[in-house]
Amino acid sequence: MRRRVLLCLALILVSACNGDKIGQPIATPTSNTKQISDAVHTAGNPDFFFLPPMVPNPSGGTNWDAGAFNPSLAPTVEICATATAGAACASSPLSYPASLRAADEQYAYNWKVPTDAQVYYRITVKVGSKPLGWADVQAGTAAEVKHMGTGEFIPLVDGRTLPIKFRIERYALCAIPSVGGCTSASADIATTPLTVSTGTPTSDQIGISDVKGVFIPAQGGPDAMPETVTLAACDDLSPVIHRQTIGDCVRVTLDPARTLSTHATVFICSVGIDAAGLPNVDPEQIRMYRSDADGVAVLQPANACKPHSPGGVATANPSLREMFASLAHGEFKRAANEAVALVSPKALYAAMFIDLGGGGETCCFSDFQFGVPSVLIYGPSLFKRSIADPRQNEQTLAEAAGMTVTVWDATTWQTKTAADFARFSAIVFGDPDCIYSTTHLNAARANKTEWSSVIRGPVVVIGTDPVFHQPGHPEALTLMSNAIKFAASVPATTGLSASLSCYYDTESSGATAVDWLDGVAAFSVRSRSGLGESAHILNGLHPVMNLLDDAGLSGWGFSVHEALPTLDSYPTGFEALVTINNFYPTEGQPANLPYIIARGSKP
């Protein structure tokens, strides 16, 4: 008996995936129209092509790129019966692995057409869970295929086999197919390590490497573990991680979801070159950050950019100090090779969730980028150093701590929005050298709604003027440095370190509201009058108190210029870290009043 498969063509729009829709299946049409979708037909994926005998040769088409075939994937062909052409599958589809025909730059699966007469089928080509194209066919009684557009008949092989051949080009799995910016590969990671990367690996010990990517070791186990990994660029993470970013942002998506028994490694090997332009950066401060639906995580460093390996993946000790030693000697090429990649117990989140220890499913993907804590200083509050007076200020101390520092003057400050302020790890209001007026804080007052709205990280408020007192009292420098480090210590938040200098020293009222900080916390302070010189640390384990003791904070000569009116008058969520003795407590007032208060991050 002669049998026939009718290849059905019609218009359909294929929706391109983007961001959190990566891996979502293309919607199944509800109409009974006959369909085919690929790069040539009906606005399909521009990097996916059905090939003869199903369609005429598409190689002369606009979307065809002769050098762009991707041989590194593991596509599958799904076939299901439908009630009519274009209808939904009547039952669960059967999935078949396609074979690679590298010499012909194509994949293929030979489908034995069922013997049932006049039955409709949908053929869908997928990589992982992502459909790339489909075609509706009808099984008839003739051993040939009829092209519905031309009326031509194409014989089936041996009277019943339809060769399903197709070509997948390099950008088919990108968020916007054909536009570019991604690299994809597949493997059975149960037995085969998988590296997906872009860039050129180094060929010698001092070559420059611009490789970035991900390495997944073989996981072992008795069952197959097919995975498809897509590597792409992502938007700069500064607004998300509240750090100054270094180098590229890399997005890694995995399909399908599974738990990894062995850590995955993400590597961005150009970080050494990119960090060379950041003077005074402490290598210990440079870390890789992962951003996903669950928040931001800091990953632990590992050597992963050594020459002569795909991406340089290795398991060795961290090499950041080696990298910066090379930078210090001008060996920028070597430094590039001593850059780091990261290993994490929670290895990756992707379009679907993977996690060393299991956990909840996430909707989206993971983005990775190196960053270093960054501090923004309110310029009018910064002591102006000079050759004649080289005392340290908050800028020099933050730089000494390995952070990047930005200073905005009053005019610039007033033009900034919350999004601008959110790019920093901490906002710092310094001690301008014991100023008795708050008028120079007017710019901060004018847009406090903008900058204070992003302060969700650690906060410390200091009721004294440490810049003024640093000669003869090195503890003042320690206090300033500790405060800045504490404010910048939590990834994905912006903290605050604020010195009250001598602003409220001469206030005559019993309690004056600190109005320029009330967007962060509402509280009042009293003047120095009647306050003594004996400081007492209440929480010596707090980070702001590191390397400090009572003696070091006492006896400064006007050690304190403002304090809270009562021992417990600090804002909700804060704690008193240090008190000062009160010579003349009024009735009901304690003998000691808090002048350094702090809080941790807000949820």
Side-chain angles (χ1 to χ4, degrees), residues 179-199:
V179 172
C182 80
T183 302
S184 302
S186 305
D188 177 2
I189 62 171
T191 57
T192 306
L194 177 59
T195 297
V196 183
S197 63
T198 62

Side-chain angles (χ1 to χ4, degrees), residues 246-407:
I246 304 173
D248 298 322
C249 181
V250 174
R251 175 169 297 171
V252 180
T253 61
L254 279 81
D255 184 9
R258 69 176 76 253
T259 297
L260 294 181
S261 59
T262 306
H263 301 173
T265 303
V266 175
F267 46 91
I268 305 173
C269 298
S270 63
V271 64
I273 297 299
D274 296 317
L278 298 175
N280 304 315
V281 171
D282 180 358
E284 295 299 331
Q285 296 281 359
I286 297 181
R287 303 293 292 277
M288 184 181 278
Y289 294 82
R290 181 190 64 232
S291 173
D292 55 43
D294 290 343
V296 173
V298 186
L299 307 186
Q300 297 300 316
N303 257 335
C305 294
K306 295 297 183 183
H308 312 300
S309 63
V313 175
T315 54
N317 294 324
S319 61
L320 275 169
R321 290 204 174 277
E322 297 176 28
M323 180 186 75
F324 274 82
S326 296
L327 290 175
H329 291 88
E331 298 175 4
F332 298 123
K333 292 184 179 180
R334 181 181 298 277
N337 294 321
E338 291 166 350
V340 298
L342 279 298
V343 171
S344 170
K346 190 167 78 171
L348 298 171
Y349 279 82
M352 297 182 179
F353 176 78
I354 67 173
D355 184 358
L356 176 64
E361 185 174 354
T362 183
C363 68
C364 305
F365 44 76
S366 287
D367 293 347
F368 299 84
Q369 194 166 19
F370 281 100
V372 62
S374 55
V375 168
L376 171 65
I377 299 178
Y378 179 68
S381 72
L382 185 65
F383 166 66
K384 305 302 188 290
R385 303 176 72 217
S386 66
I387 296 176
D389 189 352
R391 281 178 291 163
Q392 302 296 308
N393 59 20
E394 288 79 9
Q395 179 176 0
T396 61
L397 293 174
E399 289 174 345
M403 305 179 190
T404 64
V405 178
T406 300
V407 180

Side-chain angles (χ1 to χ4, degrees), residues 525-546:
V525 294
R526 51 155 291 173
S527 70
R528 170 179 55 84
S529 178
L531 298 180
E533 291 292 324
S534 298
H536 176 59
I537 297 174
L538 300 178
N539 182 358
L541 298 179
H542 195 280
V544 176
M545 295 294 104
N546 185 41

Side-chain angles (χ1 to χ4, degrees), residues 34 97 216 248 276 315 386 419 503 520 560 562:
K34 303 165 186 176
I216 302 177
D248 298 322
T315 54
S386 66
Y503 300 146
V520 178
V560 174
E562 46 270 304

Side-chain angles (χ1 to χ4, degrees), residues 116-182:
D116 298 334
Q118 302 299 321
V119 176
Y120 294 96
Y121 295 91
R122 167 152 288 189
I123 301 170
T124 303
V125 176
K126 289 184 174 183
V127 173
S129 63
K130 179 179 175 61
L132 299 182
W134 64 80
D136 288 340
V137 299
Q138 182 182 10
T141 58
E144 56 191 7
V145 169
K146 181 179 180 182
H147 190 292
M148 300 301 292
T150 65
E152 295 178 355
F153 290 87
I154 304 173
L156 298 177
V157 176
D158 69 21
R160 59 169 301 191
T161 300
L162 175 63
I164 302 171
K165 301 178 182 181
F166 52 90
R167 173 185 175 89
I168 304 174
E169 294 188 352
R170 58 190 168 197
Y171 300 141
L173 297 180
C174 293
I176 304 177
S178 185
V179 172
C182 80

Side-chain angles (χ1 to χ4, degrees), residues 236-245 289 296 372-377 404 406 408 413 415-428 447-457 487-488 490-496:
D236 185 86
L237 291 184
S238 290
V240 179
I241 66 174
H242 300 250
R243 298 288 190 267
Q244 178 166 333
T245 51
Y289 294 82
V296 173
V372 62
S374 55
V375 168
L376 171 65
I377 299 178
T404 64
T406 300
W408 286 342
W413 191 278
T415 66
K416 299 301 182 179
T417 66
D420 298 317
F421 291 107
R423 299 178 73 88
F424 296 93
S425 311
I427 295 174
V428 174
N447 74 339
K448 67 181 176 182
T449 301
E450 296 293 330
W451 63 264
S452 63
S453 66
V454 306
I455 305 297
R456 305 195 68 81
V490 178
T493 65
T494 299
L496 174 71

